[in-house]
Amino acid sequence: MIPELGHFSLVLALVLAVVQGFVPFVGALRGDSRWMEVARPAALGQLGAIALAFAALTHAYVVSDFTLANVVENSHSAKPMLYKVTGVWGNHEGSMLLWVLMLALCGAGVAVFGRNLPATLKARVLSVQAWIALGFLSFTLLTSNPFERVANPPLDGNDLNPLLQDPGLAFHPPLLYLGYVGFSVAFSFAVAALLEGRVDAAWARWVRPWTLAAWCSLTGGIALGSWWAYYELGWGGWWFWDPVENVSFMPWLAGTALLHSAIVVEKRDTLKAWTILLAILTFSLSLMGTFIVRSGLLTSVHAFAVDPERGSYILGLMAIATGGSLALFAWRAPVLKAGGLFAPVSREGGLLLNNLLLATATATVLIGTLYPLFLEALTGGRVSIGPPFYNYTFVPLMLPLVAAMGIGPFLAWKRADLAGVLGRLRIAALLAVVVALATWYLQNGGPVLAVLAMGFAVWLLAATLIEWAERVRLFRIPLGDSWRRARGLPRSAYGMSLAHAGLAVCMIGMTGSSAWKSELVEAVERGDNLEIAGFTLTLQDVETRPGPNYRSTTGIFEVTRDGRSLGVLEPERRYYPVAGRNTTEAAIRTNGLGDLYATITEPPEEGQDWTARIYYEPLVPWIWAGAAMMMFGGLLSLADRRLRVGAPRRAARQNTRAPVAAE
Amino acid sequence: MTRKRRRLYIALAGLLCIASAAALILTAFEDNLVFFYSPSDVQAKGLPEGRTARIGGLVQEGSVEHLDGNRVEFVVTDGTHDLSVTYQGALPDLFREGQGVVAEGQAGEDGVFQAREVLARHDENYMPAEVADALKESGEWRPESGESPAEAKGQ
């Protein structure tokens, strides 16, 4: 009964989406406020209905209702409760339900918080949002219905893929989706603005918080996914440049560009058409990601079930959304009035450079991801493009971006004095050179690109700190006054500094672990010693331990350094009897500057040795620390009162109080 | 700075970006495209010397041999032709006899493929697409050994 209710409310949501997509839109055309007002209850109702459907599916998982095909295929009664719940989105059908839930959440968010939006704009935004919902709700209902029953319910289910039974991966999809789907709001605003033929600062004030929220969540989702790959897959890597990773990274890159270009629209009323285009492209890249992951078109280590029907449905949706909005853009963008002028060396110029580089970088990732597909379609040859391609293309584009990021925040709007700014950044440049030379010396000339990257990262970090210090006039005025200034700074200023510093920290971690990682793969027996990066690991014992729905074989390694014991590492091999699969659980010991990482593999045959795989990964924790800083910086900026559109008057007052401007 | 001048600057900067990206991409393509070969392709055309390639097919039943020093040797087959592969290191969890596998590496002098990497899948029911195609081509495709709807990474 409950699954039928869930199915029914999903259909109800579809009907509400039709209403929301049609009535307010016509209302906006005719200027009829009563028709436009339909949007709000429809959006809320849609959210309610989808939430109900989601709750129904969750209920089926929690009580292990094996009359539902989806539950049979992806759950088991002995599975821990956490993974029963997260198993709801650990499969295609359930994750589509999560997708539409997030979409409805965004729509309802606009409806609720958009009280002071111009009525026609709000009605149009919500209509566009409903069209997207219409596409994905019908996709879910027609091709991936999670509420399908089975004729002969089995006694138990097939269990969730053991690799997915992990907290990192349990929360990675919701964050990732919130990011993907969150960009739909920017898209809807862009389409609505094109329909209205008007983009102004107020429009950007609306779009930016939504973009920022989506960006934060996508940052978190990507970081969590990479962290999971690092500790769960047992190969010690955190990024593979795999198509499935790339498709979440491209919207992130484009979203980052959008975030920055929206600032220009907001503060200087220029770069409008470009910002609109970016908003369209960012969401299109999200859609493309969804399409690629679900169509099985691309070869990927994480590749999905191949279902041509689903693939072509999403391709159709994508063609309509992207093609339609780009056509609208081509038709309506010339209507947008151009805004203020600026010199090439100015804050606007810096942000434009940021956008150009990010867009180019996105394009290289796009080409790397799609090229194999085109080649196969054209010649039938199968190729793959691995990490070296991206190291040659993506990294060289990122270095100038990082260099510019150090300078950008110092530039004044309209026209800036580049020589003066560079003079203020002498210390940062000096530090960067010193660190690069030190790295060069310590790592025996180590990969040139890595030495450069360390220098650039330190440059950005130092420039960010100097910028902050100048704002509070650190050491120029008494510390107490600096403290008062620091407290008076807007949160968005802190957000920017934190996010920029986060990127620098992230870059140091990425460089360290990719360039100077040590690896040891060896057959071991009890009592064997392994030496890596100054540590000695001794295999003391191998134990078998029971788990809730698996049993594990655990290797116990004692770690010593210079004869001093540092504790034990216990890598596991888990066997999940229901799924009939093994997983490798890495044991990781970190001191903040590097990780000692160990996994074991079962002896290939009876009576043989164990294979141990030991890594020393320098600086790797900095990757996730940096990502967390970026995400937190974004959230801080989001919490800035002046960004909240509900408080324009307060914002004006605060501006006069704090003489230092944000951004 | 007139509007026209600004537009010119933006266009130039954009062109510069596109040109450098294109140059980077073309050079990177030169060295970093990895082509896929089935054992039959290897038989017919041979593997390019000194270049990284991917090979794939089914791991032949009973062919996996563990040698000294953590080395593994196995035979990859597409039903019509076989190819010997050696690999040093720990095999991924989902490596099994009779199942699809993709290996990246180079052709050795003795005709044995030296894999630098054996690719793991998240899901053992999933057949690598290249392998599925290679098997279809050689007429060895048995759907029951291949795909079943399964998910990975929860996207």
Side-chain angles (χ1 to χ4, degrees):
Chain A
M1 185 59 199
I2 290 178
E4 274 68 36
L5 269 177
H7 193 179
F8 173 76
S9 42
L10 208 55
V11 177
L12 188 66
L14 184 80
V15 175
L16 283 169
V18 173
V19 172
Q20 186 188 333
F22 179 70
V23 178
F25 190 74
V26 173
L29 280 180
R30 304 193 337 188
D32 185 330
S33 64
R34 275 178 311 169
W35 281 48
M36 291 194 269
E37 274 159 19
V38 170
R40 189 183 146 98
L44 292 175
Q46 197 189 325
L47 174 65
I50 297 177
L52 205 64
F54 194 79
L57 188 65
T58 310
H59 176 262
Y61 267 84
V62 169
V63 303
S64 292
D65 180 355
F66 294 118
T67 60
L68 281 189
N70 191 254
V71 182
V72 174
E73 273 160 30
N74 300 294
S75 194
H76 187 271
S77 49
K79 195 164 66 167
M81 186 49 79
L82 172 67
Y83 301 123
K84 280 187 182 165
V85 176
T86 64
V88 173
W89 58 77
N91 60 87
H92 170 79
E93 289 81 1
S95 67
M96 280 321 298
L97 197 56
L98 183 67
W99 217 106
V100 291
L101 179 67
M102 296 291 184
L103 194 64
L105 205 63
C106 290
V110 175
V112 171
F113 298 116
R115 271 186 299 260
N116 54 354
L117 270 177
T120 52
L121 181 68
K122 182 175 164 185
R124 286 191 167 118
V125 168
L126 285 170
S127 296
V128 178
Q129 201 72 22
W131 300 340
I132 304 170
L134 192 61
F136 280 91
L137 280 168
S138 60
F139 173 75
T140 310
L141 281 165
L142 294 177
T143 72
S144 346
N145 183 3
F147 296 107
E148 216 154 273
R149 297 269 197 182
V150 281
N152 300 303
L155 282 175
D156 223 322
N158 301 339
D159 211 349
L160 177 67
N161 183 342
L163 281 175
L164 304 183
Q165 298 193 24
D166 178 273
L169 211 61
F171 299 106
H172 153 78
L175 269 178
L176 203 65
Y177 286 7
L178 200 57
Y180 267 6
V181 176
F183 287 129
S184 70
V185 179
F187 174 85
S188 297
F189 267 92
V191 172
L194 285 173
L195 291 169
E196 301 242 309
R198 210 167 67 98
V199 175
D200 50 20
W203 178 88
R205 284 179 83 86
W206 266 102
V207 171
R208 203 148 76 88
W210 280 100
T211 313
L212 198 53
W215 181 88
C216 287
S217 150
L218 193 59
T219 308
I222 293 175
L224 210 55
S226 126
W227 187 46
W228 168 81
Y230 171 71
Y231 71 72
E232 175 71 22
L233 293 183
W235 52 287
W238 41 265
W239 193 259
F240 199 67
W241 290 108
D242 180 274
V244 169
E245 291 169 343
N246 290 351
V247 296
S248 62
F249 190 47
M250 287 186 279
W252 187 86
L253 287 170
T256 311
L258 175 61
L259 212 55
H260 290 88
S261 74
I263 297 175
V264 183
V265 181
E266 185 183 324
K267 307 269 174 189
R268 296 276 303 135
D269 205 32
T270 183
L271 292 189
K272 292 175 189 173
W274 167 249
T275 304
I276 293 270
L277 183 64
L278 259 186
I280 291 173
L281 290 181
T282 304
F283 185 59
S284 297
L285 287 168
S286 297
L287 286 179
M288 196 189 71
T290 311
F291 163 65
I292 282 182
V293 173
R294 284 157 207 287
S295 64
L297 258 181
L298 284 170
T299 316
S300 150
V301 243
H302 321 279
F304 249 81
V306 182
D307 187 334
E309 191 195 354
R310 285 175 187 168
S312 38
Y313 201 106
I314 299 193
L315 187 63
L317 286 181
M318 212 179 106
I320 296 171
T322 310
S325 52
L326 286 179
L328 186 67
F329 178 79
W331 174 43
R332 298 285 289 181
V335 179
L336 304 175
K337 266 210 306 250
L341 289 169
F342 57 88
V345 178
S346 61
R347 179 71 70 88
E348 293 96 321
L351 288 166
L352 188 64
L353 180 68
N354 144 314
N355 267 243
L356 283 175
L357 288 169
L358 279 170
T360 318
T362 314
T364 59
V365 179
L366 185 71
I367 289 173
T369 312
L370 294 184
Y371 183 77
L373 199 68
F374 286 125
L375 191 77
E376 201 195 335
L378 292 176
T379 69
R382 280 202 177 267
V383 293
S384 57
I385 287 175
F389 170 82
Y390 298 95
N391 290 341
Y392 281 112
T393 57
F394 183 77
V395 177
L397 286 168
M398 282 295 107
L399 292 183
L401 180 68
V402 172
M405 265 174 86
I407 301 169
F410 287 89
L411 298 176
W413 294 101
K414 283 175 95 168
R415 178 184 293 278
D417 165 24
L418 188 61
V421 169
L422 289 177
R424 282 146 83 195
L425 284 171
R426 264 183 319 219
I427 300 172
L430 190 71
L431 260 175
V433 172
V434 167
V435 168
L437 287 177
T439 316
W440 175 274
Y441 176 74
L442 288 174
Q443 299 294 341
N444 306 315
V448 178
L449 209 55
V451 171
L452 275 180
M454 289 303 265
F456 276 99
V458 169
W459 154 264
L460 175 56
L461 198 59
T464 307
L465 288 177
I466 292 172
E467 198 258 344
W468 187 81
E470 283 197 0
R471 275 194 189 198
V472 301
R473 302 183 61 84
L474 196 65
F475 305 131
R476 305 235 167 125
I477 51 174
L479 275 180
D481 291 351
S482 283
W483 169 246
R484 257 191 301 286
R485 271 178 165 265
R487 286 210 328 202
L489 281 183
R491 283 189 201 141
S492 63
Y494 281 108
M496 180 196 72
S497 296
L498 195 60
H500 283 191
L503 182 74
V505 168
C506 209
M507 221 172 121
I508 293 174
M510 289 169 175
T511 313
S513 87
S514 5
W516 300 297
K517 162 171 161 175
S518 354
E519 180 181 356
L520 192 71
V521 182
E522 222 159 280
V524 281
E525 277 178 21
R526 271 167 224 200
D528 277 355
N529 285 330
L530 298 167
E531 307 267 344
I532 189 165
F535 295 93
T536 308
L537 281 85
T538 314
L539 181 59
Q540 293 187 318
D541 203 0
V542 177
E543 279 178 12
T544 310
R545 296 172 181 173
N549 54 344
Y550 60 84
R551 60 173 183 272
S552 83
T553 316
T554 310
I556 302 171
F557 288 91
E558 195 187 3
V559 185
T560 51
R561 179 163 205 160
D562 307 325
R564 224 155 37 85
S565 174
L566 296 173
V568 287
L569 276 179
E570 302 190 344
E572 289 178 41
R573 272 289 283 179
R574 286 187 187 162
Y575 179 67
Y576 288 78
V578 179
R581 274 182 222 164
N582 290 306
T583 64
T584 307
E585 304 290 318
I588 300 171
R589 186 182 177 281
T590 184
N591 61 4
L593 282 176
D595 281 8
L596 194 58
Y597 182 111
T599 60
I600 51 168
T601 330
E602 249 156 50
E605 279 158 43
E606 223 30 64
Q608 277 189 313
D609 298 337
W610 287 75
T611 305
R613 199 185 261 251
I614 318 280
Y615 297 99
Y616 182 72
E617 304 241 17
L619 298 173
V620 78
W622 291 39
I623 298 175
W624 299 291
M629 281 166 74
M630 282 194 259
M631 189 174 156
F632 189 63
L635 290 175
L636 210 58
S637 207
L638 200 59
D640 195 313
R641 190 188 284 143
R642 297 171 321 118
L643 263 180
R644 233 179 285 151
V645 183
R649 255 176 308 138
R650 273 188 194 165
R653 212 173 57 210
Q654 199 181 9
N655 256 346
T656 53
R657 200 178 61 203
V660 265
E663 278 89 38
Chain B
M1 170 82 17
T2 61
R3 214 168 284 275
K4 242 189 197 155
R5 277 277 289 285
R6 192 185 79 190
R7 207 172 288 157
L8 186 72
Y9 276 122
I10 295 179
L12 281 180
L15 277 179
L16 189 71
C17 271
I18 293 169
S20 35
L24 287 169
I25 287 171
L26 289 177
T27 17
F29 268 179
E30 199 117 306
D31 305 324
N32 297 305
L33 279 189
V34 180
F35 282 84
F36 177 84
Y37 299 84
S38 71
S40 296
D41 294 338
V42 177
Q43 187 75 21
K45 296 182 280 190
L47 283 166
E49 247 174 71
R51 253 194 94 117
T52 303
R54 274 188 180 200
I55 56 112
L58 298 176
V59 181
Q60 193 157 64
E61 300 274 358
S63 75
V64 181
E65 243 184 279
H66 293 271
L67 311 171
D68 288 349
N70 212 6
R71 261 169 13 105
V72 195
E73 189 165 325
F74 54 92
V75 173
V76 170
T77 178
D78 58 6
T80 38
H81 291 99
D82 300 342
L83 181 66
S84 293
V85 179
T86 63
Y87 173 65
Q88 167 121 31
L91 287 166
D93 289 342
L94 296 175
F95 181 88
R96 296 259 194 297
E97 290 189 355
Q99 294 214 347
V101 69
V102 172
E104 195 169 302
Q106 296 195 344
E109 280 164 19
D110 48 358
V112 175
F113 187 81
Q114 295 180 334
R116 210 179 43 219
E117 200 173 0
V118 173
L119 292 183
R121 301 260 142 201
H122 283 196
D123 190 299
E124 63 182 4
N125 296 320
Y126 177 74
M127 175 80 71
E130 309 100 321
V131 174
D133 284 358
L135 291 176
K136 276 176 194 155
E137 238 164 69
S138 66
E140 286 294 309
W141 174 246
R142 298 179 304 274
E144 68 277 8
S145 70
E147 304 139 336
S148 85
E151 301 280 305
K153 220 174 170 182
Q155 296 199 16

